Structure formats: structure tokens, C-alpha cells
Amino acid sequence: MRLDTAISQASQMTPGHIGPGGRVESRIRFFDFHPTTADVRAEVLDGLSRPRKRLPPKLFYDQHGSQLFDAITELPEYYPTRTEIQILREHGAAMADRLGRGSVLIELGSGSSLKIQTLLAALQPRVYIPVDISKAHLLESAQALAERFPELSIRAACADYSGPFELPLESDWRDLTAFFPGSSIGNFDPDEARAFLKRVARVLGPGGRLLIGVDLKKERAVLDAAYNDAQGVTAAFNLNLLTRLNRELGADFEVDAFRHRAFYDEEAGRIEMHLVSRGNQRVRVAGQVFDFRLGETIHTENSYKYGIEDFRRLARSAGFVSEQVWTDADDLFSVHCLIVEEA
């Protein structure tokens, strides 16, 4: 058993074989560790009961939210995804040399799995474990990857990796590597990011490597534009969270009674996203009542930006040593290869 990420007993899993068109596909297994509705309800009620209302960004990613995020990644203002993909394409072979070929590769927050395709071709892992909180999105991407990489063994795990989580690992696996793309590490406050990295380090074990995307600090105008796109896709993504709460928790949010707001807090080094109440209103969520004043917000996401040395220090405090860093020509984004320190 591997601490809080130990492989679950068979009775706790819902493994299944999936394949294109519903055909049985022995190379793909699905493991459902998704939070229950009761878990989501408790977290939402706690967040809305705080003096400064807050909801975790993982709630963005129902099926429609995942589709909206995929659309965000293609917007001209949103540089992180295309820049990270460019770095992976240019340096994929060097990254594979660092990580080692033929290993077990865990991808945290796999989403549509666009970025992993370059790494899979270079690494040729013997097992690939994509982990994502959006079940439908995870299954779709696993099927697409199985078609593109017919020799790949896939164990898809639907899980919330923002806290202690489970993975479908075998007890005798020692050659574990991990990929955490998209600068999702920025969604954690620094103390939470350190705790998350410590959990990953325990999973990988001494000498295990993590390839992680980290967004870099840059001009405010570039950041503000990336989170306030002209087409309003990011606004729709933010507001879809309320639609999800209406559907899953029986809430009665009037979505049009809120608006999207995103801004860069230079002192904190982070983008903040909020949903702003357009007036005084009362909302019911899972049988509880919450009052909103005009201009009151629900804080839905942080996205911290780092300097390279700042992130290296954070990683070191979590038990990782930085081996190599790759950036784009404009220093918009970075990809770090970290190794877990030997005991």
C-alpha cells in the first residue's frame, strides 16, 4: 500500500473495459474514484458559508465545463496551452531522456490529452495512467489515445487529485514517472501546492521524476487578456459552475444574476477569478439559504504565476530537486523536470 495513494481493493473499484463503439478493449481499464455527491455538497456548503465565499476550481470540470476549457485553450488570447505544446514538441526527446523510456507514466489532470501525445511517442511507457476529475472527458480521451497508440496499456482513473487520492498502481512497480501539465499547480495556494507535491513525491518514491508545466510571471496586460477573452468563453466557463450546482445540488442560482470577473493581483502573483453578484439576492443550495449583496463575489479560482527560481524553491521544500527547465523563446511558460530526493 502506498500511503494515501495506495491501490484500492477490488471491492472499492469499478474497473471496466471500454473501447470505441462500446467494444471490449483489453488494453483500457477504468477506475472510478470520483467524489460522491455528498462530498461535493459538503464542500460547496462549506465554501458558501465562509465570510468570503469560495468554491474550488475542480467544480468547473463537469462534461460541459471540460468542453468549454478545451475551447479556451484554442483562443488567441490564451497562450499557456499552445506554448506548452510547443515546448513539448521542441524538447520531447530530451524530456524522454530525463524521464526514462518504458516506465509507468501517470498524468495528473489529463483533460483532452492533447499534450501527452508528444510524450507518449517519445517515452513509449509500458503503462499510462491518466487521472482526471471529469469522467466523460477522461473516457473519451482514453479511447482516442488507445486508437492512436495501439500497443499502449491504459489505466484511466477518475479522481480528485487536489487532496489525498487513489491510483490503480501495482505494489511491485518501481519505475514511476508523472506528468502534470497546464500550470494546474498554479490553482493551489503555495502551502497547498507544497502539500500536493509532497503527496506526488511519496507516490513516485526516491529517484522518481515529475515533469510539470509552470506558468511564468509576465506583463499584466497579457495575463488579463488571457482570462478575459473577447469571445466570452472564459466567462461562460466560470458561470457554468452555477449551472452545475443547479443541476447536481438542486440549487436555484439565476446564472444571469452573476457576472465573470478576472484580474491579476501583482502583489500575490496570481490571477483571481470571481463570480460577482449583480444585485442583492437569495439563493438556495441543497436546502440551505445564502444571501448575496450587490457586488459580493464567489472566489472560484486562483492561478499563481512563478519565477523559475521561485518554483525551484517551492519544489525543493516538497522534496524535489530541479534537474532541468525548458522555456519558450518569449519566456511565457516553463516545463520543469523534477526528481524526488534520495532518502
Side-chain angles (χ1 to χ4, degrees):
M1 302 291 281
R2 291 179 177 271
L3 299 175
D4 54 0
T5 53
I7 182 170
S8 175
Q9 299 300 320
S11 62
Q12 296 174 294
M13 295 182 179
T14 56
H17 301 298
I18 57 176
R23 297 193 305 274
V24 172
E25 185 61 75
S26 61
R27 292 182 297 104
I28 308 176
R29 296 185 67 197
F30 173 65
F31 300 82
D32 193 357
F33 306 122
H34 192 275
T36 67
T37 301
D39 294 332
V40 174
R41 181 188 302 112
E43 196 161 12
V44 168
L45 294 179
D46 175 69
L48 294 178
S49 299
R50 298 182 183 189
R52 295 185 178 180
K53 295 178 175 64
R54 183 170 183 176
L55 293 174
K58 64 188 177 187
L59 294 179
F60 287 137
Y61 298 98
D62 62 356
Q63 185 172 15
H64 185 54
S66 296
Q67 292 168 344
L68 285 169
F69 184 73
D70 284 349
I72 288 171
T73 65
E74 298 179 2
L75 294 168
E77 300 97 331
Y78 194 79
Y79 63 86
T81 300
R82 63 174 176 270
T83 307
E84 186 174 24
I85 290 173
Q86 174 192 339
I87 295 170
L88 292 171
R89 287 174 176 167
E90 289 183 0
H91 303 286
M95 294 173 183
D97 289 341
R98 285 286 188 185
L99 294 177
R101 293 167 174 80
S103 63
V104 174
L105 178 64
I106 302 162
E107 184 184 13
L108 299 164
S110 57
S112 63
S113 296
L114 286 174
K115 298 167 190 172
I116 196 63
Q117 294 182 30
T118 298
L119 277 184
L120 290 176
L123 286 172
Q124 299 180 346
R126 58 190 178 86
V127 180
Y128 168 57
I129 305 176
V131 183
D132 200 81
I133 199 169
S134 177
K135 185 183 302 184
H137 221 51
L138 176 66
L139 294 179
E140 290 172 4
S141 62
Q143 290 180 8
L145 287 171
E147 291 180 346
R148 178 157 185 177
F149 299 94
E151 303 302 318
L152 185 62
S153 175
I154 300 175
R155 292 187 170 201
C158 183
D160 172 15
Y161 59 78
S162 65
F165 60 98
E166 296 173 292
L167 291 176
L169 305 175
E170 301 291 348
S171 60
D172 60 345
W173 285 351
R174 295 291 180 267
D175 54 342
L176 301 180
T177 58
F179 179 44
F180 191 35
S183 198
S184 296
I185 190 67
N187 293 149
F188 296 99
D189 291 339
D191 287 344
E192 295 171 342
R194 184 177 298 106
F196 167 79
L197 290 171
K198 286 182 177 179
R199 291 195 296 272
V200 174
R202 287 197 295 269
V203 173
L204 298 178
R209 287 179 170 84
L210 168 65
L211 194 69
I212 182 169
V214 180
D215 201 7
L216 298 176
K217 291 184 176 180
K218 56 187 64 67
E219 294 180 3
R220 176 191 297 272
V222 176
L223 291 167
D224 283 342
Y227 292 84
N228 293 282
D229 63 278
Q231 297 179 47
V233 183
T234 308
F237 174 69
N238 200 5
L239 289 161
N240 181 65
L241 189 157
L242 301 181
T243 301
R244 178 182 181 180
L245 298 186
N246 286 348
R247 181 182 67 250
E248 296 185 13
L249 298 184
D252 61 358
F253 284 100
E254 291 186 24
V255 178
D256 291 342
F258 290 82
R259 63 178 176 84
H260 163 75
R261 183 184 180 218
F263 61 91
Y264 182 56
D265 182 334
E266 192 163 359
E267 183 176 352
R270 70 189 189 194
I271 284 282
E272 291 188 16
M273 288 216 314
H274 294 256
L275 290 168
V276 184
S277 178
R278 295 180 181 271
N280 297 323
Q281 55 182 306
R282 174 166 290 180
V283 178
R284 293 183 180 275
V285 183
Q288 293 194 28
V289 174
F290 299 94
D291 290 316
F292 288 84
R293 304 181 306 277
L294 170 66
E296 186 177 2
T297 78
I298 306 173
H299 189 169
T300 55
E301 184 179 61
N302 288 326
S303 183
Y304 282 84
K305 313 303 174 184
Y306 289 92
I308 288 176
E309 293 305 319
D310 293 334
F311 186 75
R312 280 176 166 159
R313 283 192 291 271
L314 174 64
R316 185 58 183 262
S317 71
F320 282 98
V321 175
S322 176
E323 284 197 319
Q324 192 166 350
V325 183
W326 298 271
T327 64
D328 60 289
D330 296 321
D331 287 330
L332 296 174
F333 200 89
S334 63
V335 178
H336 297 241
C337 183
L338 309 175
I339 183 170
V340 182
E341 287 186 287
E342 298 288 344

